[in-house]
Amino acid sequence: MRRFAGNGKICMTNKIQDGAGSAGYEKNVTAYDARLAEYVVRPLVNSPISPNMLTVFGMLVGLTSCWLFSRGDPVLANWGGLCFMFGVFMDHVDGAHARSSGKTSTFGHYLDHIGAATTYCAGFIGIGLGAGSELTGGWGPWLGLIT
């Protein structure tokens, strides 16, 4: 079951019961990429790199994935997938950097949402463009957009 922890993080909560089924305890599990992001940002805490810079960088990587997917080349599509996953990971990195450095802001919060939406939408639109009319009969970009 998903729930918000007291620190604002979304945690996966599992209630594990003993053999009799009478008692149990909750275990908070944080996703591996969120834990990795917290580790990656440690050197950035006192650096001049702001969380908003990381958000914009992640957005640019996401747009790059769109371009790579849209070429219709299987090799470039693999690179597009790698860029897409890195752009998604950057969404964790910018938030972890903002929290660990105390540089959270309302603007950064909304920029983070825009960056994530741009990365996700660009990836699927690029896949739709790359699929082309051979697979989708010209509907590829539209299918990517509504996905």
Side-chain angles (χ1 to χ4, degrees):
M1 172 172 86
R2 294 183 87 171
R3 68 175 176 86
F4 286 96
N7 58 7
K9 294 182 182 178
I10 297 176
C11 299
M12 298 301 290
T13 304
N14 300 320
K15 190 169 184 177
I16 303 171
Q17 295 184 347
D18 62 9
S22 60
Y25 64 93
E26 292 186 357
K27 177 181 176 185
N28 289 332
V29 179
T30 304
Y32 71 91
D33 52 347
R35 288 190 311 247
L36 181 61
E38 290 175 5
Y39 177 76
V40 167
V41 299
R42 288 180 188 167
L44 300 177
V45 170
N46 295 318
S47 74
I49 298 173
S50 73
N52 293 341
M53 290 174 163
L54 296 175
T55 302
V56 171
F57 177 69
M59 209 177 347
L60 292 173
V61 172
L63 291 171
T64 302
S65 77
C66 174
W67 182 81
L68 290 168
F69 280 134
S70 71
R71 302 294 91 198
D73 179 14
V75 174
L76 291 179
N78 287 329
W79 285 106
L82 185 66
C83 284
F84 180 79
M85 292 308 300
F86 187 73
V88 170
F89 177 66
M90 288 303 295
D91 186 37
H92 288 292
V93 171
D94 62 2
H97 181 43
R99 285 185 298 275
S100 66
S101 64
K103 296 178 183 175
T104 59
S105 69
T106 302
F107 175 76
H109 174 79
Y110 288 112
L111 181 65
D112 182 57
H113 287 301
I114 291 168
T118 300
T119 298
Y120 296 136
C121 291
F124 285 108
I125 290 170
I127 291 170
L129 287 168
S133 60
E134 298 87 28
L135 297 175
T136 61
W139 283 92
W142 297 107
L143 294 171
L145 182 62
I146 63 171
T147 303

